[in-house]
Amino acid sequence: MTNNKTPRHFLDIHDHSVAELREMLGRAAFMKRGQGAERPLLGKTLALIFEKPSTRTRVSFEVGMRQLGGEVICLTGKEIQLGHGETIGDTARVLSRYVDIIMLRTDHEAKLQEMAEAATVPVINGLTDSSHPVQIMADILTYEERKGPIEEAVVCWTGDANNVCESWVHAAGLFGFEMRIACPPELTPSQQTLDWIKEKGARVSIHRDVETAVAGVDAIITDTWVSMHNKDAHRRHNLLKPYQVNDRIMGLAKKDAIFMHCLPAHREEEVTSSVIDGPQSAVWDEAENRMHAQKGILTWCLNR
Ligand code: CP
Ligand code: NVA
């Protein structure tokens, strides 16, 4: 579909103002309560493009878009010409003539930017090697349902300072909450993110000792030790063993602290089953909230 307006993309948390993010979250919570217009995206089509595997992102976008009254086309890897040398830009130009909104899961952030520049419809980031903003919108929704305003939170990320962690950092900088990152020096946030933390005066601190970092926090967050784009699994396992979330580590946080994980989890690696299946775990709500948060994002992008 073509239009003359600049599309409302959702590419990264820190591309947006807090007011815009709050509007998306508000829409999400409203729709989760069963309020709002019936089928606001009737007649609209969402294209999902996956250059990496997915369970939650794929299913939550598909089901969410259908609940909004829209249609979905899911395109993966080598089944489209993008996987055989057609450029991202040309793919974006062509898809913009057929669909109303595009979600892309890819490797390099530059590819997402290229798609957004060439597309005449909104583009949503469904994860890159360095960010996962739709996940963090679901995480904020989940945190606030359980614990109240995110602005008042003290959270600890433990493990690999990966793509999900980087998007959490951007949320911390924007919403103003405190974030402690416990990670080995080899797997610390990127220089670009460290510079951003400094420039924005974000309340984000880097720790080597997980026990100090988790003391008294409201939420402990972790993720896999080996992301989809990582090739050095053995090295990462050795470096990250001290950063596992287990009952002892949960016991150092506030009594009512929650455990968060974007999933998929690798049980007994980054988190023990006792924690992920335990009473403080919020992970299944997080997974459900992917769908609600994305419904807020989809309707915001399409201004419906
Ligand atoms: N959390 C998340 O994005 O999961 P999938 O890789 O299954 O989409
Ligand atoms: N850090 C993980 C997140 C998966 C949703 C990865 O990139 O593989």
Side-chain angles (χ1 to χ4, degrees):
M1 310 288 160
T2 52
N3 68 47
N4 299 322
K5 293 196 202 122
T6 311
R8 287 175 115 177
H9 300 306
F10 185 79
L11 303 179
D12 244 324
I13 294 280
H14 58 316
D15 287 342
H16 297 280
S17 63
V18 172
E20 280 174 352
L21 298 173
R22 277 280 167 220
E23 189 187 332
M24 296 176 216
L25 289 166
R27 285 164 177 251
F30 196 63
M31 286 186 274
K32 185 172 180 180
R33 289 196 298 268
Q35 295 168 303
E38 280 251 319
R39 311 209 291 163
L41 300 189
L42 188 66
K44 303 285 181 196
T45 303
L46 163 69
L48 300 173
I49 308 175
F50 288 98
E51 295 198 295
K52 293 181 182 186
S54 168
T55 298
R56 278 143 290 268
T57 306
R58 176 168 178 171
V59 179
S60 59
F61 266 110
E62 284 210 30
V63 174
M65 186 64 180
R66 292 204 180 103
Q67 287 183 1
L68 292 167
E71 304 279 335
V72 187
I73 297 168
C74 188
L75 308 161
T76 58
K78 298 267 178 229
E79 79 185 12
I80 53 171
Q81 300 290 11
L82 179 63
H84 299 274
E86 187 165 21
T87 68
I88 284 265
D90 289 350
T91 305
R93 284 177 202 101
V94 171
L95 287 183
S96 296
R97 300 294 179 105
Y98 300 133
V99 305
D100 302 279
I101 185 160
I102 301 167
M103 187 236 65
L104 176 64
R105 169 169 282 194
T106 188
D107 44 16
H108 303 298
E109 198 86 5
K111 285 195 186 171
L112 183 78
Q113 295 296 339
E114 207 180 322
M115 173 152 284
E117 273 158 33
T120 54
V121 299
V123 175
I124 297 176
N125 177 356
L127 178 145
T128 71
D129 291 357
S130 51
S131 63
H132 199 3
V134 291
Q135 178 69 52
I136 275 48
M137 293 294 276
D139 293 352
I140 293 172
L141 192 61
T142 309
Y143 182 91
E144 295 201 325
E145 283 174 352
R146 297 252 180 159
K147 306 269 301 165
I150 192 77
E151 287 82 355
E152 294 163 20
V154 182
V155 306
C156 177
W157 176 280
T158 173
D160 180 20
N162 64 13
N163 45 2
V164 179
C165 176
E166 299 240 349
S167 288
W168 262 104
V169 167
H170 294 141
L174 277 170
F175 288 93
F177 61 86
E178 183 184 341
M179 179 175 181
R180 305 176 190 162
I181 301 172
C183 62
E186 296 84 349
L187 297 172
T188 217
S190 66
Q191 192 55 49
Q192 199 185 5
T193 299
L194 294 173
D195 292 344
W196 188 86
I197 292 170
K198 215 166 160 190
E199 186 195 317
K200 299 290 168 197
R203 295 199 296 146
V204 179
S205 53
I206 316 284
H207 303 251
R208 300 297 168 228
D209 177 36
V210 62
E211 296 187 11
T212 318
V214 296
V217 298
D218 299 296
I220 298 182
I221 318 160
T222 193
D223 187 13
T224 179
W225 289 345
V226 187
S227 284
M228 291 181 270
H229 59 284
N230 295 141
K231 306 274 178 274
D232 50 347
H234 183 69
R235 171 178 163 267
R236 287 171 163 272
H237 277 251
N238 288 334
L239 289 169
L240 289 163
K241 261 189 198 115
Y243 297 90
Q244 183 192 64
V245 184
N246 49 42
D247 291 320
R248 189 179 59 80
I249 292 298
M250 275 314 290
L252 298 173
K254 275 194 188 139
K255 264 202 166 49
D256 62 349
I258 57 170
F259 170 71
M260 304 184 79
H261 190 311
C262 64
L263 305 177
H266 299 78
R267 287 163 179 259
E268 319 315 333
E269 292 183 10
E270 74 271 10
V271 60
T272 57
S273 290
S274 59
V275 170
I276 200 168
D277 295 331
Q280 289 165 283
S281 174
V283 303
W284 316 119
D285 286 352
E286 261 183 284
E288 179 187 332
N289 280 336
R290 287 293 303 277
M291 185 179 74
H292 303 297
Q294 288 156 195
K295 284 167 77 175
I297 294 166
L298 286 164
T299 56
W300 179 86
C301 288
L302 290 168
N303 203 11
R304 289 296 165 119

